[in-house]
Amino acid sequence: MIRKLLPVLLLLVGLGAGVGAGIFLKPAAEDHGETADAGHGAEAAHGAEAGHGDDTGHGETPSHYTPSSGPTETVRLPNQFVVPVIADGQVHAMVVIGLALEMSVGNTFSLVENEPRLRAVLLQLLFDHANIGGFDGIFTSGEALLALRRTLREAARAELGDEVQDVLITDLLRQES
């Protein structure tokens, strides 16, 4: 009888230990109430009313994605970007990234006219990102990808204007060599 109960008891003890560890290691919940705006005062309210986007003030960056408001259309860049990851003077990995632009409806973007300049700017930015270690470690974490997307969006806006709402990462692959 004990031989039959022992596996069940071990299963229950393991399950209880797993639940306990999960509860103990759970990250602290963020408070999205009025206390989140404490210390920002009228400047935060003015920034939100003026449409200044993701500005959270004091150098902070939002840790969640907030999609653009209003209708948009997506323009997929036809070729993927291939970025070498170099360490100690040798290529250690290749990163392949597919990108798409989320544009305002009725935009004047022409793939034939604007793609070469845009690709050059984005590729240089991706090379810089690789050179500072952006594709090392856990580069697919939410915060890392948001930071990369934010940088890509700013570069695309500098090249094409404010009709670029966002830059979407559609494919991401790292191949070790």
Side-chain angles (χ1 to χ4, degrees), residues 8-82:
V8 173
L9 288 175
L10 288 175
L11 178 70
L12 291 175
V13 168
L15 181 64
V19 169
I23 291 171
F24 180 74
L25 297 175
K26 182 174 83 171
E30 294 182 21
D31 184 17
H32 294 289
E34 292 179 11
T35 59
D37 289 336
H40 294 288
E43 291 132 16
H46 171 71
E49 290 171 3
H52 291 295
D54 295 337
D55 184 24
T56 58
H58 306 295
E60 298 174 12
T61 56
S63 61
H64 61 280
Y65 173 69
T66 54
S68 59
S69 60
T72 60
E73 57 188 22
T74 304
V75 178
R76 183 168 170 77
L77 297 179
N79 297 320
Q80 296 174 324
F81 293 83
V82 179

Side-chain angles (χ1 to χ4, degrees), residues 84-107:
V85 177
I86 300 173
D88 300 325
Q90 295 182 348
V91 175
H92 283 269
M94 298 295 279
V95 176
V96 178
I97 302 175
L99 298 177
L101 300 176
E102 194 173 54
M103 310 281 289
S104 301
V105 173
N107 63 72

Side-chain angles (χ1 to χ4, degrees), residues 87-134:
D88 300 325
Q90 295 182 348
V91 175
H92 283 269
M94 298 295 279
V95 176
V96 178
I97 302 175
L99 298 177
L101 300 176
E102 194 173 54
M103 310 281 289
S104 301
V105 173
N107 63 72
T108 60
F109 178 73
S110 168
L111 203 57
V112 173
E113 292 176 10
N114 297 324
E115 184 197 8
R117 288 179 315 151
L118 180 63
R119 285 189 71 82
V121 168
L122 296 179
L123 191 58
Q124 183 61 55
L125 190 134
L126 290 169
F127 285 161
D128 293 343
H129 187 72
N131 289 336
I132 62 170

